[in-house]
Amino acid sequence: HKGAASPPEPVAPTRPRNESFEIEDPGERLEGQPLLLEERASGQHRNTTAQCAHAGHRSGCNPQDSMFLGSLPETHQTGLLNDDGLQELARRLKESQCAGYAESMPGSSSGYTTELRYTKFMIGGIPGVKHAVFIPDNLKLTHSVLEQVCEALDKEMPSMLLCGMSSLCHPAKMSTPQLRKCRGFRQLMNDSKSTLGIPSAAVDDGSWFCKNPGSEDSTELQVNDPELTHKPLIDVANRVLEKKVGCTIRSIASAAYWTNVWTYTGPRITNFEVFLQQCLENNETDVFKMAVGHCQDRAYMEADMSRNLMRYLFDNSHSMSPEVVSAMTPVNLQGDLWHPGKNTQHPDFAEHGFDYWSFESYDETSHGHPLTQWPWPHADLLLLFYREEQGIDGRPTSDADWDFMTKTRYDQDVIPFTPDLLAPVGYVFIGGKEALMKKKLLQAMRAGSPMVILENTPNVPKQVSLLVQAVQCVWQRNALDACRPFLDDATLARLGRDTSSTELLESLLPSKILAHVEKEFDSSGMEETEKLTLSDVVGMMDLVRRRPQVFKERVCVIDPLRTSPDQTAAQLTTVFNCSSQLSGTRELHCTAVHRSLVTKSWRLHRRLAERAKQLRGLVAMLTASIGIVMVVATTLAVCSVAIRLKEKEVHYRNVDYNISAPVKNDIVEFSFSIHEVSLLLRFSLLALPISVGLMTTLQSHFQIGHKWASVHMAADETVSDIYRYLAGVRPYNQSQAMNQRRFMRRLETMVKHLSFAGINEDDLIAVAGSLEDDLFPQDGRALENHVSEYLYGIRKTRLCGWLPDCQCFSSLMSSCRHGHDKYSWSVLLMEDQEPRDIFAPITADIYMEIRVAALRRYYGEWVRRLNSTRAVLHTVLVVSLCIGAGLGASKCSLWIPVALALATFSSSVINWLAPPEMVSAVCSAMTTLNNLDLRWQGSGIRDRSSTRTKEHLICITERLWCAVASTYSGFSMTPEEVDEELFDERMLVKSSRVDTRSSGASRSVSRSASIVVTPYGRSGTTTPYAPA
């Protein structure tokens, strides 16, 4: 077969697994084993020595430099090379030397290129060009190697692998008597009976929750039922079910294509691949398909036709590299194995082809059928493992040992590959008589894997779909009425209309759910080990109660008989898009370490936010007090001067002033003179400057503004790191253990930097002492309330009438002005909305919903408040200046300092509450977020589900969040492990008040303590701008 096809240019063969043949004495070894070498050379199907020399020339290797051949005498070497066995050894030595030299060359391909072999091929009668990658079965694959394989094939890494779980039953005979008798088939069977003239009961639409249980028809199968005996009726049901399931599989394939999901097929083919094959033959899908198998599997090696095809394909393979993949011409394989006229080993295939077969599993009756003799031929990529042949020194070579075959057919143990190594794995469960179907389904649900269950398909999927639909009633609009059949009377009396889904989940009775499943589907045709038991229902309910969000997002039940293809595609696109973005967090997120880290990080943020709130209030009080006292002191000083001028007049010196005020039945009178007022003013002018000096000294000594800035910045950076960690983006895109260690170090570094700024951990613990901090967050609702209050300024725990709650009062006034709440994202925080799982990974869709949309509204409202504040204060400033000008023009120039003091105070308040750089920073952040949202809305599903898009989106948003916080507090950001190209520098509005750090994080806490902070001479490094 070697000469049938070859690549367009010779390619250097793969070197053996070992680096070289360590022959100490070449001459002695050559003379000692000539016979063995001749036998070995006669069975080889490799390139010639000239090809190897040419390949060595291409890679920069000089064949004359071989240390083995160079050690022989020239005259003796020529004679030796005339022997076939010695030529083979010389060729191998040159291969080893050339490959080793090429591997050591700078920039040369390494890793998989020296281990993996590749060929491109086409199969006669089967459309499409296919790729085969041959991998030694003792080679341990890693994620990086698979990334290199995808790079060589010019394919993006899949976001998820979709695996079919079903039997090998032919699509034309999938229905069973019990399935045809169940309520899901009732409408179809009634229509079919009416068409065939068979008497039937009243038409039933199959909606079990709308019926009175006492009036339902029994689903128990009787001996004389037409569903069991009437062949035309059975044929109609089978044909309809085949077409409906085929449409559903086509929708699944379309959703997989749009979300960059590959299908995965193991050594055993199921009817999921058979349905998918029908879609491919009709050119109805472009989903990428991958199959895995072993070249020397007993099922392939026992048939001469499949054995020869596999060997021919291997002999035309070459060392894998991107250049080989792009330059190779496809090898043409004959399609005789899949032609019923030429492959007559199996009687069903010889007679019917692929239109019919009688077997339903991989038993003796299936042997000889093409489905069982070759990996799925419609796959686009075949990962074929092979057993290497042993060399003359007992070491493995790059050739395949075609005398070897696996111990059993479809031996999974000899394939060192698990699909979750490449990407997260999802499953499509289709009913059939598949062994261990229940075990596989429950394992996938426990692992939190995405799964699609086709309802109204036989046996286990039908039972589990009924169970899942019963549990999903807790999330319906009228959840209490929908769950009524699964609750006892005492629970119904206790629960109210406003009962949450969590309470309903806790109240559901597994025994009643199991009774409902047994009533809706007759399980008499199932194996006892495959039937759902009470322990199975209890275990599944426990999983749902622990991880309700995972259950809602990753378990999807599709009814092929009722759901339209468009609805199926839309629903599955959402499921795949949400689940496929977990490539950065492939490990289970329910581990104790993960839950502890997330809980402690939000707890730390709560402590930091509370401490920052206290410090900000203290700074605001001191700063406002200093400003007001200085304005009052200025006013009193002017008054003192005016009184002294009046005292010079003789008739004012001895004048007494009386003030009376009625109090109940008496009158209180006060009498004072100008002289007494003058003494009081002198004392006030002495006390007020002293108080200003004391407050300024306290503010400067304790560095309250600097402490607030550092705590506020640490709190915002903690939030940013939490979102990055849950999303699995840089720097938390490594393994689970690495991400956890890095996240823990990040939190410890923040607390350490706070200690440099004078904030001890004991202070944070003391702040949280009255907050039940050890129990926070108890659930998703508590965390949502915390996020809405401390991140986005929505407080629901106070009455709007409480004036100290300025944010809530402002929100109320805004609502009154606009007629409705402008926070569209506040719907997410309503009491009747279900909280999210606080430990679940975050996808791009979820991030846009809970983070980007909230920030856009929050920044927009913040900009409007800043502009309104600036407009009011500028008006006060202008009015004060106008009053000062009027005083100067009206012979009252003595009072001009008071007007100027008010104007100066207004100007300082403007720079304190609404500085221009703050407005610019928030406007820039809001513009960037709006642009991100526009790009998100205009991108396709494949772009949205890609890891690159998620990382780009989250990194930019969190950098914006930290940049705004840095401008707001005047505190520098801590360096982050994020590439600078992900962040546009114009998004970060540099303020002149932000320190320029050139020596890392150490300078972020080494600030001057000698700066005097007042509203008149404000330093942005120590004083907040405005309460958000």
Side-chain angles (χ1 to χ4, degrees), residues 143-193:
H143 186 73
S144 60
V145 172
L146 294 174
E147 285 181 342
Q148 291 175 332
V149 171
C150 293
E151 181 181 357
L153 296 175
D154 196 20
K155 292 292 295 183
E156 183 182 357
M157 287 284 288
S159 58
M160 189 174 71
L161 296 178
L162 196 61
C163 180
M165 305 297 291
S166 181
S167 66
L168 202 54
C169 175
H170 193 276
K173 58 185 186 69
M174 283 187 59
S175 68
T176 62
Q178 292 80 10
L179 184 65
R180 294 189 290 270
K181 184 67 174 179
C182 74
R183 184 165 290 101
F185 262 73
R186 192 68 53 81
Q187 183 175 359
L188 171 62
M189 299 307 294
N190 288 337
D191 293 342
S192 302
K193 290 176 183 178

Side-chain angles (χ1 to χ4, degrees), residues 263-278:
T263 63
Y264 170 79
T265 305
R268 295 175 180 264
I269 299 175
T270 66
N271 55 12
F272 172 73
E273 283 77 22
V274 176
F275 278 112
L276 195 58
Q277 179 175 327
Q278 295 177 356

Side-chain angles (χ1 to χ4, degrees), residues 372-399:
T372 65
Q373 292 182 327
W374 183 267
W376 191 36
H378 287 266
D380 299 304
L381 173 62
L382 294 176
L383 296 183
L384 299 174
F385 293 84
Y386 68 96
R387 180 65 54 87
E388 293 176 313
E389 186 179 12
Q390 300 296 321
I392 57 177
D393 56 351
R395 299 185 179 185
T397 67
S398 59
D399 288 330

